[in-house]
Amino acid sequence: MQALSATPRTGLVPWPGLLLAVSLITFWSPPTSAQLAIVPTFAAEGSDVIMRIKNKPPNAESYVCDRILVNNDGSLVIKRVTLKHTGDYTIVVHLQNGRKEIGFGRLTVYEPLRVPTLLASNTSVTENKDAVEFTCYTNGITTHWLFNAVRLKLTDRMKLSPDNRVLTIDPVRREDAGSYQCEVSNPQSSTESWPVELNVKYE
């Protein structure tokens, strides 16, 4: 008996290829619905938080989370959160057919943002002779710098510390004279320091 062969004329599939195709059909299954999850949530310390879930199964019967209260719609509720509430949360959804789905999500709690304090090493300096260092004291997550109420454009004479909280200008020039502020923020809010005026003397 002549063996099967594959040529462009006959359109037959070689046996190894046919076996591979059968294997793929056997083990492949259509993708399931999107994964149940808790929406990542950010909150200020002391606030009330509702953590919602996404991709909720349509045949859910009940929701369980060991750490907090769960509403009928699957949302998770925490009253007056503290920094200790920061962490990963797990929700278990019991389905009508006796199965269950598990979802995960993270809550991050921040301290209320305080108005930053801006200090300068010197506020009256001489052009091309002195340097000045501004330090922003804050509990914020990110720090930006303002010059005369607009975002500061750094020059080659300006350097920032790795956390952006210290601005050094060396040497100072007359165009650096003006009002400086640090603007700080976390995912919940932002605020600015009181301005510090830098005076530059020149001849």
Side-chain angles (χ1 to χ4, degrees), residues 14-119:
W15 279 111
L18 183 60
L19 292 174
L20 176 60
V22 171
S23 296
L24 289 175
I25 293 172
T26 301
F27 291 101
W28 180 85
S29 59
T32 58
S33 58
Q35 178 66 43
L36 170 72
I38 301 171
V39 177
T41 305
F42 302 94
E45 188 175 23
S47 63
D48 294 342
V49 174
I50 297 179
M51 301 172 66
R52 304 193 182 279
I53 63 173
K54 60 182 179 179
N55 306 321
K56 180 173 62 174
N59 57 343
E61 284 193 331
S62 62
Y63 306 88
V64 178
C65 180
D66 291 339
R67 300 179 64 175
I68 51 179
L69 172 68
V70 182
N71 286 331
N72 291 335
D73 63 355
S75 58
L76 289 66
V77 180
I78 309 178
K79 299 289 187 180
R80 299 185 60 81
V81 294
T82 68
L83 296 178
K84 293 181 179 180
H85 286 107
T86 292
D88 297 311
Y89 288 76
T90 302
I91 187 166
V92 179
V93 179
H94 294 275
L95 308 178
Q96 293 176 354
N97 56 10
R99 295 172 52 247
K100 62 184 178 181
E101 288 191 21
I102 300 176
F104 306 93
R106 185 167 182 82
L107 170 64
T108 305
V109 181
Y110 295 96
E111 292 181 299
L113 194 61
R114 298 188 295 269
V115 174
T117 299
L118 179 60
L119 299 179

